[in-house]
Amino acid sequence: MGRNLALTLALTSLCIGLVAADWNILKQKRKHYGLKSSLKNYCESWRINVELNNIREFEVVPQECVAYIKHYMTSSQYEADSERAIEEVRLYLSSCCTLEGDGKDAWIFDVDDTLLSTIPFYKKHNFGGEKLNTTLLEEWMKESKAPALDHTFNLFHEIKNKGVKIFLISSRSETLRSATVDNLINVGYHGWSSLILRGLEDELTRVQEYKASARKRLMDEGYRIWGIIGDQWSSFAGLPTTKRTFKLPNSMYYLS
């Protein structure tokens, strides 16, 4: 009887030991890391599909991905991705274009998150995790404190110095003209040919239709538009098209 009890106790201790050995902090960390890794993969997939224009017209960034989007938009990877796009513009310009020198060679830049960064605003508004309050955004724009984006600042001046006319087509309201001009000049942009903003007649027009209409007017005036650079697909959509388009990364919001 005593021997049987001792044997039972020994086996019980062994089983408890095995269970304890199976649960250890390293394995729990691996399991936890696996969950994090899956969420990271999901959020990266979501971001890439925004950039590919597969995911459209979203009003907010998925809540589970807000921290990831924040990390990306303030990271060296965002800078590297943007710089890579700029390098492709330079490669294109090095071989694409025989400039006529007649004042009709042109390039189009978007403004927000192309020349000027709205990241300081979105830092205060959950990096796209909140539904956009247009009134608050325009109040922020009126302060004329948006910083220049380094990766396009130099490109802007390089293109201008080639003798190419630069047109800025923004989805900003005409009421923001003075603040926008002040902001651009304050951070070092100058020498653009025209800043095109949305007037009252454009308020009910989708961004892509408004921008396509602005391109058509320029082409009707005889301008050869060698390319467009912007952070939204609506900057490129619709007819007429240009010879090339270059998309900068931005997964905080979507303008259609």
Side-chain angles (χ1 to χ4, degrees):
M1 176 95 180
R3 292 178 62 184
N4 290 340
L5 178 61
L7 181 59
T8 300
L9 289 173
L11 289 171
T12 301
S13 298
L14 178 60
C15 290
I16 292 173
L18 287 172
V19 171
D22 184 63
W23 191 100
N24 63 71
I25 191 64
L26 292 178
K27 286 193 176 183
Q28 293 307 305
K29 282 186 175 181
R30 281 198 293 271
K31 289 177 183 178
H32 189 52
Y33 177 78
L35 291 172
K36 278 189 172 181
S37 180
S38 296
L39 179 58
K40 180 180 178 182
N41 290 344
Y42 166 76
C43 293
E44 174 65 5
S45 176
W46 184 87
R47 186 186 71 79
I48 289 297
N49 277 279
V50 168
E51 297 299 343
L52 292 172
N53 207 28
N54 292 331
I55 296 175
R56 306 180 183 184
E57 300 185 16
F58 62 90
E59 292 187 344
V60 293
V61 171
Q63 286 302 307
E64 62 270 32
C65 295
V66 167
Y68 176 79
I69 297 302
K70 173 184 177 180
H71 174 75
Y72 173 76
M73 293 299 297
T74 57
S75 71
S76 59
Q77 187 61 56
Y78 166 72
E79 295 292 336
D81 292 346
S82 300
E83 289 286 355
R84 181 60 180 154
I86 299 302
E87 284 305 311
E88 290 300 316
V89 177
R90 291 192 175 105
L91 285 171
Y92 167 70
L93 286 170
S94 69
S95 60
C96 73
C97 318
T98 303
L99 304 182
E100 299 294 336
D102 58 358
K104 292 296 184 179
D105 296 301
W107 190 277
I108 293 173
F109 281 86
D110 183 25
V111 174
D112 291 306
D113 295 301
T114 298
L115 296 180
L116 301 175
S117 175
T118 67
I119 288 177
F121 172 81
Y122 281 95
K123 277 183 179 178
K124 299 177 182 178
H125 297 279
N126 211 21
F127 282 85
E130 300 174 11
K131 190 172 181 179
L132 177 63
N133 185 316
T134 304
T135 300
L136 291 179
L137 176 60
E138 291 191 348
E139 287 176 0
W140 179 80
M141 289 174 172
K142 287 176 182 177
E143 297 176 3
S144 302
K145 293 181 179 179
L149 285 164
D150 293 338
H151 44 263
T152 43
F153 180 84
N154 292 332
L155 178 70
F156 174 95
H157 290 289
E158 289 171 22
I159 291 177
K160 178 171 64 70
N161 292 339
K162 287 178 178 288
V164 176
K165 287 193 173 181
I166 292 178
F167 293 91
L168 311 182
I169 303 180
S170 173
S171 58
R172 290 189 179 199
S173 166
E174 181 64 40
T175 60
L176 293 168
R177 178 171 294 278
S178 179
T180 303
V181 170
D182 288 346
N183 200 157
L184 288 165
I185 291 174
N186 289 344
V187 297
Y189 293 108
H190 57 81
W192 62 84
S193 294
S194 180
L195 169 62
I196 301 170
L197 301 175
R198 298 184 77 171
L200 290 174
E201 68 279 9
D202 301 313
E203 283 188 353
L204 300 179
T205 305
R206 296 180 72 190
V207 173
Q208 63 183 38
E209 293 167 358
Y210 149 71
K211 291 195 171 186
S213 177
R215 288 197 302 274
K216 184 177 186 305
R217 290 197 300 271
L218 292 176
M219 291 182 177
D220 287 346
E221 293 172 14
Y223 287 103
R224 294 177 295 276
I225 302 175
W226 291 100
I228 304 174
I229 186 165
D231 67 296
Q232 297 290 315
W233 284 99
S234 52
S235 292
F236 319 125
L239 298 174
T241 59
T242 60
K243 297 180 184 297
R244 277 293 303 269
T245 59
F246 297 88
K247 171 78 167 61
L248 292 172
N250 182 359
S251 43
M252 295 185 297
Y253 57 86
Y254 188 97
L255 298 178
S256 59

